[in-house]
Amino acid sequence: QVTLVESGGGLVQAGGSLRLSCAASGRTISNYAMGWFRQAPGKEREFVAAIRSSGDRTSYADSVNGRFTISRDNAKNTVYLQMNSLKLEDTAVYYCAAKDRHYNLRVLTTYDYWGQGTQVTVSS
């Protein structure tokens, strides 16, 4: 069993930056692919970014590509999402997820473990 806890969310002005963290416990995530997803009010949860276990390959949604960076520190059992140039439309609850398979990284239904989420609010 893997427990994921997100942190780092908050209120930020448009154009600003935040770094989200996802700390895992219960099991090492060094063999897990990790993903970030988000859900805005009234919308379905959507893919944001993912990273393979070794960190050698990443994937991003078109809407965040070039602004967000996913990374991981397997020694700390933690995954990060650096978010720059934030826009109003980035406002959402951000969720961290893990799975032990390295395909379909963009598909949320393939992930086995989820955190509780952290709120990110971007203001004008």
Side-chain angles (χ1 to χ4, degrees):
Q1 188 74 11
V2 177
T3 300
L4 303 173
V5 178
E6 302 94 336
S7 62
L11 176 64
V12 62
Q13 286 192 321
S17 298
L18 281 175
R19 188 176 82 154
L20 305 183
S21 298
C22 172
S25 61
R27 188 177 296 179
T28 178
I29 60 168
S30 60
N31 293 323
Y32 285 76
M34 302 295 296
W36 285 98
F37 294 79
R38 68 186 181 186
Q39 188 166 16
K43 295 187 177 181
E44 294 186 351
R45 195 170 299 188
E46 65 177 6
F47 169 76
V48 175
I51 187 168
R52 292 177 54 152
S53 59
S54 61
D56 61 334
R57 293 188 66 177
T58 58
S59 179
Y60 296 93
D62 290 345
S63 59
V64 307
N65 197 24
R67 299 188 298 121
F68 291 10
T69 302
I70 187 171
S71 62
R72 64 191 300 157
D73 185 338
N74 286 338
K76 294 183 177 180
N77 234 26
T78 301
V79 177
Y80 305 96
L81 185 68
Q82 177 67 43
M83 306 186 295
N84 298 329
S85 302
L86 283 161
K87 303 177 180 180
L88 297 179
E89 53 264 41
D90 294 320
T91 295
V93 177
Y94 283 72
Y95 298 90
C96 175
K99 64 177 180 178
D100 61 4
R101 301 170 301 284
H102 291 75
Y103 54 85
N104 292 338
L105 296 182
R106 295 171 174 251
V107 181
L108 67 89
T109 54
T110 65
Y111 284 80
D112 301 308
Y113 304 102
W114 290 85
Q116 293 300 306
T118 185
Q119 176 71 47
V120 172
T121 303
V122 184
S123 66
S124 59

